[in-house]
Amino acid sequence: MALYKLLRTFAFALDAETAHRATIATLSLAPSLPLPSFAPELAQRLAGLEFPSPVGLAAGFDKDGEVPDAMLGLGFGFVEVGTITPKPQAGNPKPRLFRLKEDHAVINRMGFNNGGQSAALDRLKRRQRRGILGVNIGANKDSTDRIADYAAGVKLMSPVADYLTVNISSPNTPGLRNLQAGGELVELLAAVREARLPGIPVFLKVAPDLEEGDHERIVRAAIDTGIDALIVSNTTISRPTLKSPQAKEAGGLSGRPLKQLALEQLKKFRSASGGQITLIAAGGIENADDAWERIRAGASLVQLYSAMVYEGPGLARRIADDLSTRLSRAGMANIAEAIG
Ligand SMILES: Cc1cc2nc3c(=O)[nH]c(=O)nc-3n(C[C@H](O)[C@H](O)[C@H](O)COP(=O)(O)O)c2cc1C
């Protein structure tokens, strides 16, 4: 943590995207660490996969799948790369990534900048498979058939993924979140069902900016089409009161100010599903209290990104260790007993 604080001083002197790029470049040169071992009571089998720890890395940090093994080595129980679209795309004009230091938050309007699925496929094929790798897929901004983009992504990326995430909740691709609406969602998920390979779980990632009735409808569509889990949630377009000067930047807000909203949304999905579909929590998780609260509210797994910017990559490991202490204190033999 002391070393990270020192590195953070240098990183925070750079603009956020340059610092991020430098971090990925450094991690990609680092020798690969062995997979860490976790307390056995943290292990769970979900969607046919053995998760050694419930604390994962959320999508968007490693958009092109350049450093999943470094992140697994640093103590994440699973790592989700992406969002990756069928064709490469540049994303929005810079600046498009903002640290809101006073709020422990981030605003981004990256717009799915990525090198495209075939480049990521080649890269991920070269890795030695170990640990759990999720591949998060999206649609190109200029696509004339977004549903076809998701079906193509599911098919193409399955051979290198332990699970796939269908991301229809980014606020930075105009109109993308319309795919969460009734008819479109059913059509999309039916196309994904057709395209998917047996044995590769598919998760659906949703936005936190939903209305009454959306939760029931999304849960029904997901269960009817065999989706294995819901990730709740992506960044928010809402703006709670913020202190930082960048508060008015357009884009998706993440980190501490998203915490309450993401928790509320998780609870709504839990009550809409009654435990019939696995839930994965994301949004403002920055310590073991937050992770525990989400697990108690019905999440089987948690993911984080923004808090890592402030606390360093060792955070995942610290949260996992703290969760195992809480389990012993609560007299529980496995993390699964704490869910919901
Ligand atoms: C810079 C940045 C880029 C992101 N890019 C993606 C993305 O490409 N796909 C995606 O599904 N989520 C993306 N996210 C959302 C995160 O995966 C996560 O859902 C959200 O940030 C809430 O978690 P947090 O508060 O721990 O950051 C991004 C978040 C940030 C901060």
Side-chain angles (χ1 to χ4, degrees), residues 43-156:
Q44 292 176 82
R45 192 173 177 83
L46 289 165
L49 300 171
E50 290 292 341
F51 287 85
S53 151
V55 186
L57 177 63
F61 174 76
D62 185 9
K63 290 209 183 243
D64 283 305
E66 295 172 271
V67 295
D69 295 302
M71 300 314 285
L72 287 164
L74 284 168
F76 285 93
F78 59 108
V79 166
E80 189 168 312
V81 301
T83 295
I84 318 176
T85 54
K87 288 186 295 167
Q89 63 180 31
N92 289 321
K94 295 179 190 171
R96 53 193 180 176
L97 178 60
F98 307 90
R99 281 186 294 256
L100 279 66
K101 271 191 268 181
E102 294 81 349
D103 301 294
H104 276 239
V106 174
I107 290 180
N108 93 84
R109 50 170 181 272
M110 304 300 287
F112 287 171
N113 57 307
N114 76 106
Q117 285 167 359
S118 52
L121 182 70
D122 289 346
R123 184 177 303 117
L124 293 171
K125 267 186 186 159
R126 289 197 296 270
R127 73 184 273 272
Q128 201 190 342
R129 280 185 88 149
R130 43 165 227 164
I132 295 186
L133 175 74
V135 178
N136 177 308
I137 56 166
N140 280 109
K141 184 179 177 186
D142 65 359
S143 169
T144 51
D145 186 348
R146 285 185 170 162
I147 290 180
D149 275 22
Y150 285 98
V154 164
K155 223 178 238 158
L156 190 72

Side-chain angles (χ1 to χ4, degrees), residues 58-60 63 83 97 108 136 167 205 233-234 254-255 283-284 305-306:
K63 290 209 183 243
T83 295
L97 178 60
N108 93 84
N136 177 308
N167 174 24
K205 184 164 178 181
S233 71
N234 213 311
S254 55
Y305 178 176
S306 300

Side-chain angles (χ1 to χ4, degrees), residues 161-173:
D162 294 302
Y163 73 84
L164 294 159
T165 295
V166 171
N167 174 24
I168 49 171
S169 47
S170 165
N172 301 314
T173 296

Side-chain angles (χ1 to χ4, degrees), residues 229-269:
L230 296 176
I231 304 181
V232 185
S233 71
N234 213 311
T235 57
T236 178
I237 54 168
S238 69
R239 289 291 181 273
T241 312
L242 297 169
K243 299 189 210 84
S244 309
Q246 304 88 342
K248 294 213 159 52
E249 292 292 346
L253 172 71
S254 55
R256 195 176 288 170
L258 172 58
K259 188 182 306 200
Q260 242 5 76
L261 177 63
L263 174 63
E264 267 165 39
Q265 296 303 318
L266 178 73
K267 288 180 176 168
K268 287 188 177 167
F269 275 106

